[in-house]
């Protein structure tokens, strides 16, 4: 008999590939088994397995923000092992790209029992920066007090880079339509290339057909 439905939604079209669908089908089968036999311990183990196998990074902290559990996707995303992450605070990932007010707003939201969603720039163990979409959800105990926070992290660095490239190319076309000299056009193109590619220095020579 049907006792419920597992529904998952994503903001992007076709986000669930065949591998993800197969995993979800396995998860629903395991959940059905747990409900049928009434084994609470079994259900908890299944939930842990699902979290561990999730493609997105997942972090569980105590009310003070101390990390108590991370999944494999988190270690892959950040470069920190489970042993290096547990016992630390998420501030180990701080990039320096956000001011104190940003973090104060985040913590005041979740400490008030609300879900926080947003984009954040973090720093991996190797020092490289990445952008992630993060959702932090407070978990309450039987007495209603917050016992844990669960953060789900999705790396969107490639998407943000693509958005910046599209914006730069769009701006390039608009600027070039208004130039009057080859030098102006060259300077605009060089600036756009700097934004798209990045370099330490650039030398640009203009050739004059009239003077050879």
């Amino acid at each position: 008999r049907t006792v419920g439905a597992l529904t998952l939604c994503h903001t992007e079209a076709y986000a669930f590939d065949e591998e993800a669908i197969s995993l979800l089908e396995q998860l629903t089968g395991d959940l059905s088994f747990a409900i049928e036999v009434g084994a609470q311990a079994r259900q908890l183990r299944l939930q842990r397995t699902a979290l561990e196998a999730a493609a997105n990074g997942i972090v569980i902290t105590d009310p003070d923000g101390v990390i108590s559990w991370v999944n494999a996707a988190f270690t892959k995303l950040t470069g920190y092992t489970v042993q290096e992450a547990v016992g630390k605070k998420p501030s180990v990932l701080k990039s320096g790209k956000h001011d104190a007010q940003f973090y104060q707003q985040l913590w005041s939201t979740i400490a008030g029992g609300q879900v926080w969603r947003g984009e954040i720039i973090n720093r991996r163990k190797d020092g490289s920066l990445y952008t992630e979409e993060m959702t932090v959800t407070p978990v309450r105990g039987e007495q209603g007090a917050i016992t844990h926070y669960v953060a789900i992290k999705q790396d969107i660095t490639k998407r943000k880079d693509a958005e910046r490239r599209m914006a730069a190319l769009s701006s390039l076309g608009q600027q070039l339509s208004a130039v009057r000299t080859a030098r102006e056009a060259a300077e605009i193109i060089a600036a756009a290339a700097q934004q798209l590619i990045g370099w330490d220095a650039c030398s640009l020579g203009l050739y004059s057909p009239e003077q050879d």
Side-chain angles (χ1 to χ4, degrees):
R1 62 189 180 88
T2 300
V3 296
L6 177 64
T7 305
L8 293 94
C9 304
H10 203 289
T11 56
E12 298 178 7
Y14 309 109
F16 299 108
D17 55 19
E18 292 183 0
E19 182 179 355
I21 293 174
S22 176
L23 177 63
L24 294 175
E25 289 175 343
Q26 295 177 35
L27 177 60
T28 55
D30 289 340
L31 289 173
S32 297
F33 173 77
I35 295 172
E36 185 69 22
V37 300
Q40 184 178 10
R42 168 66 175 169
Q43 186 175 13
L44 292 175
R45 286 197 296 271
L46 290 169
Q47 291 172 347
R48 184 186 180 96
T49 300
L51 292 175
E52 183 62 43
N56 292 343
I58 300 176
V59 181
I60 299 177
T61 75
D62 66 13
D64 296 322
V66 178
I67 297 174
S68 57
W69 185 86
V70 298
N71 68 345
F74 171 87
T75 64
K76 182 179 179 181
L77 174 63
T78 66
Y80 288 96
T81 65
V82 174
Q83 293 75 14
E84 291 172 329
V86 172
K88 300 291 196 310
K89 289 192 173 183
S91 57
V92 70
L93 302 174
K94 274 189 176 181
S95 63
K97 298 294 184 180
H98 304 283
D99 57 21
Q101 185 178 0
F102 175 87
Y103 296 104
Q104 289 172 359
Q105 190 274 331
L106 190 162
W107 280 103
S108 64
T109 299
I110 60 177
Q114 303 298 313
V115 176
W116 185 92
R117 297 182 180 87
E119 296 181 2
I120 183 170
I121 300 174
N122 278 333
R123 187 181 302 275
R124 297 184 179 91
K125 182 181 177 180
D126 64 9
S128 61
L129 300 179
Y130 68 97
T131 304
E132 66 179 45
E133 279 183 346
M134 184 170 70
T135 300
V136 185
T137 304
V139 178
R140 296 184 182 274
E142 294 181 357
Q143 304 301 321
I146 295 175
T147 60
H148 297 85
Y149 297 110
V150 178
I152 300 178
K153 301 166 170 287
Q154 180 180 7
D155 187 357
I156 59 170
T157 306
K158 291 183 178 179
R159 191 184 79 192
K160 299 299 291 185
D161 288 343
E163 290 175 355
R164 283 191 287 269
R165 287 195 296 270
M166 290 298 295
L169 291 173
S170 176
S171 176
L172 176 62
Q174 295 176 1
Q175 294 181 69
L176 287 177
S177 64
V179 299
R180 297 181 179 180
T181 67
R183 182 180 183 86
E184 289 179 357
E187 291 175 347
I188 291 173
I189 292 173
Q194 161 67 14
Q195 184 176 356
L196 291 169
I197 304 171
W199 46 46
D200 295 323
C202 169
S203 177
L204 182 63
L206 296 178
Y207 172 70
S208 172
E210 295 80 8
Q211 300 177 5
D212 194 22

